[in-house]
Amino acid sequence: GSIDGLNIDEDGNFIISDFYGKVQCIAPSGNKHLLFDTSFETINAADIYYEKSNHVLYVPTFRAGKVMAYEIIK
């Protein structure tokens, strides 16, 4: 898709977002899994920020005019 945000978590996994609202985690091995997808709600994702100390992913949105916070459970 249209990758917009990129961060690395404390385990070396890439967390990527795309413009349409899909956020995925990609392991160094190449395995990936979907963390969440807000595209069906038309909540687009902008750049992302992952705060390692409390495992929270912050996702600014384009059209919704908000910053969403998601706790990433390890």
Side-chain angles (χ1 to χ4, degrees):
S2 301
I3 294 176
D4 198 323
L6 172 66
N7 271 232
I8 299 176
D9 72 9
E10 62 277 357
D11 298 322
N13 299 305
F14 292 100
I15 301 173
I16 62 169
S17 66
D18 69 27
F19 172 79
Y20 300 103
K22 187 186 298 183
V23 177
Q24 300 179 74
C25 182
I26 303 175
S29 66
N31 292 334
K32 62 182 176 181
H33 68 272
L34 182 67
L35 295 175
F36 57 89
D37 183 356
T38 58
S39 60
F40 61 93
E41 300 173 66
T42 62
I43 299 175
N44 302 91
D47 294 331
I48 56 175
Y49 174 72
Y50 179 69
E51 191 169 320
K52 294 176 184 176
S53 63
N54 61 5
H55 308 289
V56 173
L57 181 68
Y58 296 95
V59 183
T61 63
F62 284 109
R63 294 186 179 95
K66 301 177 184 178
V67 175
M68 309 295 278
Y70 300 91
E71 182 178 12
I72 305 298
I73 308 286
K74 295 277 180 171

